[in-house]
Amino acid sequence: MQQLTIAGTVFSSRLFTGTGKFGSSQQMEEAILASGSGLVTVALKRVDTKAPGQHNMLAHLRHPHIRLLPNTSGVRTASEAVFAAQLAREAMETNWIKLEIHPDPRYLLPDPVETLQATAELVRLGFVVLPYVHADPVLCKRLEEAGAAAVMPLGAPIGSNRGLRTQDFLEIIIAQSKVPVVVDAGIGAPSHAALAMEMGADAVLVNTAIAVAGQPVQMAAAFRDAVAAGRAAFEAGLPGQSRGAHASSPLLAFLDE
Amino acid sequence: MQQLTIAGTVFSSRLFTGTGKFGSSQQMEEAILASGSGLVTVALKRVDTKAPGQHNMLAHLRHPHIRLLPNTSGVRTASEAVFAAQLAREAMETNWIKLEIHPDPRYLLPDPVETLQATAELVRLGFVVLPYVHADPVLCKRLEEAGAAAVMPLGAPIGSNRGLRTQDFLEIIIAQSKVPVVVDAGIGAPSHAALAMEMGADAVLVNTAIAVAGQPVQMAAAFRDAVAAGRAAFEAGLPGQSRGAHASSPLLAFLDE
Amino acid sequence: MQQLTIAGTVFSSRLFTGTGKFGSSQQMEEAILASGSGLVTVALKRVDTKAPGQHNMLAHLRHPHIRLLPNTSGVRTASEAVFAAQLAREAMETNWIKLEIHPDPRYLLPDPVETLQATAELVRLGFVVLPYVHADPVLCKRLEEAGAAAVMPLGAPIGSNRGLRTQDFLEIIIAQSKVPVVVDAGIGAPSHAALAMEMGADAVLVNTAIAVAGQPVQMAAAFRDAVAAGRAAFEAGLPGQSRGAHASSPLLAFLDE
Amino acid sequence: MQQLTIAGTVFSSRLFTGTGKFGSSQQMEEAILASGSGLVTVALKRVDTKAPGQHNMLAHLRHPHIRLLPNTSGVRTASEAVFAAQLAREAMETNWIKLEIHPDPRYLLPDPVETLQATAELVRLGFVVLPYVHADPVLCKRLEEAGAAAVMPLGAPIGSNRGLRTQDFLEIIIAQSKVPVVVDAGIGAPSHAALAMEMGADAVLVNTAIAVAGQPVQMAAAFRDAVAAGRAAFEAGLPGQSRGAHASSPLLAFLDE
């Protein structure tokens, strides 16, 4: 399978995960290990080293193959995002940042204008920026031009588990992008993740669907395999769809012989 | 993972495959082995032992973990189907039969009335019958009552690769059936196969999408993994979908502190 | 607009309606008149002339442009259906019958085998038979061959309002049928009805979506207009869909001049 | 039917149309009259009064009930858009402007950042601004706050005729917006337009699907009726969808009596 490289870092898995909503830090750790993920997002709030429970949480993420990706979840403007990214860089000793700016408390949808502005500023400040955005092809192109290391368009509202509701636009983004495309938000089942990979997405980020599953560790492994399968299918060359039928079994001649 | 049992035979894989459209018998064999499939359909015509090439073809399917499932592809009526099944039983030394009756040469869609009649007759004759049918919940129930060992409703026209276009009805069939439900026809990508398993289907049958892929062996492995992932997700308990958003990252408090 | 003819009777409207679930007979009458419908299904039970309320109900349907279409709703077998049809012919003085055979009390889905058998028998007995069936192209062809005056494939389970969930198969039925195709069941909004007409269906039957609307009379008129619009669009020649964009406005040259 | 008011102007029709791609100015005029539309977009290039054919074209749009809406199609930045809007105001004697900024020549998708900036500037300059945008709920909210008179989110790429591929996000936009929501681009059939209205959109803009239809005048009338039907259904209260079935005909009791 082709390697995925973001900002010079090679990832052996195309499944990225998050740390929210798990029942316990122990369960989170087991699920993330089962997922095979090498990039794990962490909300800045969670890495507050003064909170004793949080300190413990970070310890569960210390594995040599895992890179942490702090996110700016909760900020509403570009300047808040820049501030949060700087805090995260200090606290977590990484210049990678998942940029999330959502002024809307209900659907948690990202703000395109603030996101572009913050991306440009954070790139200038030396960050490796992965912005979470609507599946807007023009915006993704501008983020790429502003120096984003990857773009993270959404499939559906965060936590909705509705799958790739933006499929038509993800296809355009994937066709046009020169940086990796990571489908984020809305992926609610392994089949959704496989579909994103079959379409040629470079990676997917899954959190809710694993964390709130009946059995999160098994679900994480299921996503791992579905992502690998979807990517393998993309590389193996999927056949096209058609309206009519095409027999896979030859019609029997014996009856007429 | 829970075992799948059909007519007393246990299958370790929930991916069934076919033998049509491959570039060579060698490629077919490699792909089927890569798929992990334990049940492989063969058109009766192909097992004509008088044809030298065909004889060779059967040799490629002789593996201890593989059960052959002759199909009646090409017949148009119940009586033709019964005749074909009897020929197949003799030629292939198995009383398992995939019943396919499609009078329509264009879309190869199955005939419900002939299929029910042939199922009843073949069950009486001691066959293990797996009928290929439209995703018609009432028909599937009647086939079950007539003694079918499993039902094989279609997702889309054979070879169309269009996926689960009958999803609403497959859900009803799965909810109602007391025999295994094998989704057949139309599955064109690993994501389709994963979705069928997530819905609770017992197995899927894939042929065209593997055989005509750019690299059939890799595609077979991708289907193998996607089927396993979809089933694992089903057993691990998929979360529901919702319209609104549900934050996976807690909102940051630090900005307001 | 092209005329619709079923069994020699010309219909000026391609919207057929039902009589169930209305708040009152008065409301039903107003809604049916607003719909412009010329063919109205009535459950045999409702025309029991001994029940005083029912008698009144029939009176509300006596309009010169309206043909009544008794249905066999509630029967489970071909023989029950034939018996019900004969009762209906006597009670309602029409040899038209909407054949509905649904043994399944939960989803009310039709039985293909009993329906084909009853159709053949009722045609022999001189009925004009309009069978309600799953969207099964092979079955529809056989019903046509058995003498059905039209076929009535379902879009989705009765009363579900889910629209054309069987679209791929309705397209095949429409392409193949030599008798009128009336899409029945599941049509829950005027847009669904318009879509059926745009696909080339000959008519649609709508009941629940009108009867349980907030304002049934206005909803009936909305369906009337949507059906007419969908048919007009079909006849006017809808353009195809494409993946890319096609500018409807020419790009401005003045900026570069 | 409830009135639609944009910037103090009342529109009796909720169908807006465009002027591109028609076979002739005569055909365009007939189609627009048949559509009942009271708001018609015109590309600035087309109103170049020095071009003899163009002059003639404008004459075909002079009807008392029609308000012209010049668009900025072809511009790539906010400053080009402001310049184009000023030219349009002079040439067409209206301060209404449909703001279209699409730097991307292939899919003609709008730029969110430039559009927000140009909207603010044009509002400051006294324009009534109707921006064409991606179906991005956060952007639509910001445009509203910047003084846009309406928002015009897209359903699918311009001219693709693919319908409401952004449905999940249009629903959020409609639920949140305090200014009229006009679904623009991608509407390829009357059923698509009806669906937009049923969802509660305030209006739709259709151009390609009418202009390139086999018979544009009849197609325009079909869209007129479908839009009215969809709106009437919205106001009459559409019933919800469900998974199970709900009988519209009572089950027959007579068989058991």
Side-chain angles (χ1 to χ4, degrees):
Chain A
M1 202 170 297
Q2 292 162 14
Q3 278 184 333
L4 169 63
T5 304
I6 301 178
T9 299
V10 174
F11 294 92
S12 60
S13 167
R14 291 171 180 274
L15 173 60
F16 300 158
T17 53
T19 54
K21 298 189 186 176
F22 284 95
S24 69
S25 290
Q26 182 66 32
Q27 188 191 58
M28 177 198 77
E29 182 178 18
E30 284 176 42
I32 288 172
L33 291 177
S35 76
S37 179
L39 190 66
V40 178
T41 62
V42 185
L44 180 52
K45 176 64 181 175
R46 289 224 184 79
V47 298
D48 176 358
T49 49
K50 284 167 265 171
Q54 304 301 340
H55 186 65
N56 186 41
M57 185 272 221
L58 256 195
H60 284 276
L61 296 170
R62 283 201 194 98
H63 293 276
H65 73 287
I66 295 181
R67 178 181 272 282
L68 296 186
L69 178 63
N71 70 47
T72 65
S73 182
V75 308
R76 288 154 301 194
T77 63
S79 59
E80 286 180 5
V82 171
F83 178 56
Q86 287 168 322
L87 285 183
R89 179 158 60 176
E90 265 185 62
M92 299 184 64
E93 296 172 354
T94 174
N95 65 340
W96 286 46
I97 190 80
K98 184 185 172 199
L99 181 60
E100 293 188 31
I101 306 181
H102 28 61
D104 149 36
R106 177 135 184 227
Y107 296 100
L108 300 172
L109 294 168
D111 184 308
V113 179
E114 301 294 320
T115 301
L116 179 59
Q117 189 183 324
T119 295
E121 175 67 9
L122 288 168
V123 167
R124 203 183 59 75
L125 294 170
F127 283 89
V128 170
V129 186
L130 294 87
Y132 163 62
V133 285
H134 200 63
D136 177 332
V138 175
L139 179 61
C140 285
K141 208 64 196 166
R142 291 197 67 167
L143 290 164
E144 173 189 319
E145 289 161 4
V151 289
M152 302 186 71
L154 59 82
I158 289 179
S160 70
N161 293 323
R162 305 196 79 213
L164 305 190
R165 312 301 286 190
T166 57
Q167 183 168 351
D168 289 54
F169 301 95
L170 292 173
E171 286 173 359
I172 297 174
I173 292 168
I174 290 167
Q176 291 185 340
S177 191
K178 290 176 185 153
V179 293
V181 176
V182 183
V183 178
D184 186 12
I187 292 180
S191 59
H192 301 160
L195 174 58
M197 302 311 293
E198 289 163 3
M199 289 165 57
D202 294 282
V204 294
L205 194 152
V206 180
N207 184 347
T208 298
I210 293 172
V212 310
Q215 302 180 59
V217 179
Q218 288 87 324
M219 189 61 81
F223 270 99
R224 175 198 64 208
D225 293 345
V227 166
R231 180 67 193 186
F234 173 72
E235 295 188 8
L238 280 160
Q241 295 184 9
S242 63
R243 291 253 150 196
H246 300 275
S248 50
S249 296
L251 300 189
L252 286 179
F254 70 94
L255 290 164
D256 305 317
E257 279 167 5
Chain B
M1 202 170 296
Q2 292 162 13
Q3 279 184 332
L4 169 63
T5 304
I6 300 178
T9 299
V10 174
F11 294 93
S12 59
S13 167
R14 290 171 181 273
L15 173 60
F16 299 158
T17 51
T19 52
K21 298 189 186 176
F22 284 95
S24 68
S25 292
Q26 181 67 31
Q27 187 191 60
M28 177 198 77
E29 182 178 20
E30 285 177 40
I32 289 172
L33 291 177
S35 77
S37 180
L39 191 65
V40 177
T41 61
V42 185
L44 180 52
K45 176 65 180 173
R46 289 223 184 77
V47 298
D48 177 357
T49 49
K50 283 167 265 171
Q54 303 301 341
H55 186 65
N56 186 40
M57 185 270 221
L58 257 195
H60 285 276
L61 296 170
R62 284 202 194 97
H63 293 276
H65 72 287
I66 294 181
R67 177 181 272 282
L68 296 186
L69 179 63
N71 68 48
T72 64
S73 182
V75 308
R76 288 154 300 195
T77 64
S79 61
E80 287 180 4
V82 170
F83 177 56
Q86 287 168 321
L87 285 183
R89 180 159 60 177
E90 263 185 63
M92 300 184 63
E93 297 172 355
T94 174
N95 65 341
W96 287 46
I97 191 79
K98 183 184 173 200
L99 181 59
E100 294 187 31
I101 306 180
H102 26 63
D104 149 35
R106 174 136 185 226
Y107 297 101
L108 299 172
L109 294 168
D111 184 308
V113 179
E114 301 295 320
T115 301
L116 179 58
Q117 188 184 324
T119 296
E121 175 67 8
L122 288 168
V123 167
R124 204 183 59 76
L125 294 171
F127 283 89
V128 171
V129 185
L130 294 88
Y132 162 64
V133 285
H134 200 63
D136 177 332
V138 175
L139 179 61
C140 285
K141 208 64 197 166
R142 291 196 68 168
L143 289 164
E144 173 190 318
E145 290 161 4
V151 289
M152 303 187 71
L154 58 84
I158 289 179
S160 70
N161 293 323
R162 304 198 81 211
L164 306 190
R165 312 301 286 189
T166 57
Q167 184 168 351
D168 290 55
F169 302 93
L170 292 173
E171 287 174 359
I172 297 174
I173 292 168
I174 291 167
Q176 291 185 341
S177 190
K178 288 176 186 153
V179 293
V181 177
V182 183
V183 179
D184 186 12
I187 291 181
S191 59
H192 302 160
L195 174 58
M197 302 311 293
E198 289 163 4
M199 289 164 57
D202 294 282
V204 294
L205 194 152
V206 179
N207 184 347
T208 298
I210 293 173
V212 310
Q215 302 180 58
V217 180
Q218 287 88 323
M219 189 62 81
F223 270 98
R224 175 197 64 206
D225 293 345
V227 166
R231 181 64 192 188
F234 174 73
E235 294 187 9
L238 279 160
Q241 296 184 9
S242 62
R243 290 253 151 196
H246 301 275
S248 49
S249 296
L251 300 189
L252 286 179
F254 70 93
L255 290 164
D256 306 317
E257 278 167 4
Chain C
M1 202 170 298
Q2 292 163 12
Q3 278 184 333
L4 169 63
T5 304
I6 300 178
T9 299
V10 174
F11 294 93
S12 59
S13 167
R14 289 170 182 273
L15 173 60
F16 300 157
T17 53
T19 53
K21 298 189 186 175
F22 284 95
S24 69
S25 290
Q26 180 67 30
Q27 187 190 61
M28 177 199 77
E29 181 178 19
E30 285 177 40
I32 288 172
L33 291 177
S35 77
S37 180
L39 190 66
V40 177
T41 62
V42 185
L44 179 53
K45 177 64 181 173
R46 289 223 184 76
V47 298
D48 177 357
T49 49
K50 284 168 265 174
Q54 303 302 342
H55 186 65
N56 187 39
M57 186 272 221
L58 258 196
H60 283 276
L61 296 171
R62 284 201 194 98
H63 292 276
H65 72 287
I66 294 181
R67 176 182 272 281
L68 296 186
L69 179 63
N71 68 48
T72 63
S73 181
V75 308
R76 287 154 302 195
T77 63
S79 60
E80 287 181 6
V82 170
F83 177 55
Q86 287 168 322
L87 284 184
R89 179 159 60 178
E90 264 185 61
M92 299 184 65
E93 296 170 356
T94 174
N95 64 339
W96 286 46
I97 190 78
K98 182 183 173 200
L99 180 60
E100 293 186 31
I101 306 181
H102 27 62
D104 149 36
R106 177 137 185 224
Y107 297 100
L108 300 172
L109 294 168
D111 184 309
V113 179
E114 301 294 320
T115 301
L116 179 58
Q117 189 183 324
T119 295
E121 175 67 9
L122 288 168
V123 167
R124 204 184 59 77
L125 293 171
F127 284 89
V128 171
V129 186
L130 295 86
Y132 162 64
V133 285
H134 200 62
D136 177 334
V138 175
L139 180 61
C140 285
K141 208 65 197 163
R142 291 197 67 167
L143 289 164
E144 173 189 318
E145 289 160 5
V151 289
M152 304 186 70
L154 58 84
I158 290 179
S160 70
N161 293 323
R162 305 197 80 212
L164 305 189
R165 313 300 287 190
T166 57
Q167 183 168 351
D168 290 55
F169 302 93
L170 292 174
E171 287 173 359
I172 297 173
I173 292 168
I174 291 168
Q176 291 185 340
S177 190
K178 288 177 186 153
V179 294
V181 177
V182 183
V183 179
D184 186 12
I187 291 180
S191 59
H192 302 159
L195 174 58
M197 303 310 293
E198 289 163 4
M199 288 165 57
D202 294 283
V204 294
L205 193 152
V206 180
N207 184 346
T208 298
I210 293 172
V212 310
Q215 302 180 58
V217 180
Q218 287 88 326
M219 189 61 81
F223 270 98
R224 175 198 64 207
D225 293 345
V227 166
R231 181 66 193 186
F234 173 73
E235 295 187 7
L238 279 161
Q241 295 184 11
S242 63
R243 289 253 151 196
H246 301 274
S248 50
S249 295
L251 300 189
L252 286 180
F254 69 93
L255 290 164
D256 304 317
E257 278 167 5
Chain D
M1 202 170 297
Q2 293 162 14
Q3 278 184 333
L4 169 63
T5 304
I6 300 177
T9 299
V10 174
F11 294 93
S12 60
S13 166
R14 291 170 181 273
L15 173 60
F16 300 158
T17 51
T19 53
K21 298 189 185 176
F22 284 94
S24 69
S25 291
Q26 181 66 31
Q27 187 191 59
M28 177 198 78
E29 182 178 19
E30 284 177 41
I32 288 173
L33 291 177
S35 77
S37 179
L39 190 66
V40 178
T41 62
V42 185
L44 180 51
K45 177 64 180 174
R46 288 224 184 78
V47 297
D48 176 357
T49 49
K50 283 167 265 172
Q54 304 301 340
H55 186 65
N56 185 40
M57 185 272 220
L58 257 195
H60 283 277
L61 296 170
R62 284 202 195 97
H63 292 276
H65 72 285
I66 294 181
R67 176 182 273 282
L68 296 186
L69 179 63
N71 69 48
T72 64
S73 181
V75 307
R76 287 154 302 195
T77 65
S79 60
E80 286 180 6
V82 170
F83 177 56
Q86 287 168 322
L87 285 184
R89 179 158 60 179
E90 265 185 62
M92 300 183 64
E93 296 171 356
T94 174
N95 64 340
W96 285 47
I97 191 79
K98 182 184 173 199
L99 181 60
E100 293 187 32
I101 306 182
H102 26 62
D104 149 36
R106 175 138 184 224
Y107 296 101
L108 299 173
L109 294 169
D111 184 309
V113 179
E114 301 295 320
T115 302
L116 180 58
Q117 189 184 322
T119 296
E121 176 67 9
L122 288 168
V123 167
R124 205 184 59 75
L125 293 171
F127 283 89
V128 171
V129 186
L130 294 88
Y132 162 63
V133 285
H134 200 62
D136 177 333
V138 175
L139 179 61
C140 285
K141 208 64 196 164
R142 290 197 69 167
L143 290 164
E144 173 189 318
E145 289 161 5
V151 289
M152 304 186 70
L154 59 83
I158 290 179
S160 70
N161 293 323
R162 305 197 80 212
L164 305 190
R165 313 299 287 189
T166 58
Q167 183 169 350
D168 289 54
F169 301 94
L170 292 173
E171 287 174 359
I172 296 174
I173 292 168
I174 291 167
Q176 291 185 341
S177 189
K178 290 177 185 154
V179 294
V181 177
V182 183
V183 179
D184 186 13
I187 292 179
S191 59
H192 301 161
L195 174 58
M197 303 310 293
E198 288 163 3
M199 289 165 57
D202 294 281
V204 293
L205 194 152
V206 180
N207 184 346
T208 298
I210 293 173
V212 309
Q215 302 180 60
V217 180
Q218 287 87 324
M219 189 61 82
F223 270 98
R224 176 197 64 207
D225 293 345
V227 166
R231 180 67 192 185
F234 174 73
E235 295 187 8
L238 280 161
Q241 295 184 9
S242 62
R243 290 252 152 197
H246 300 274
S248 50
S249 296
L251 300 189
L252 286 180
F254 70 94
L255 289 163
D256 305 317
E257 278 166 4

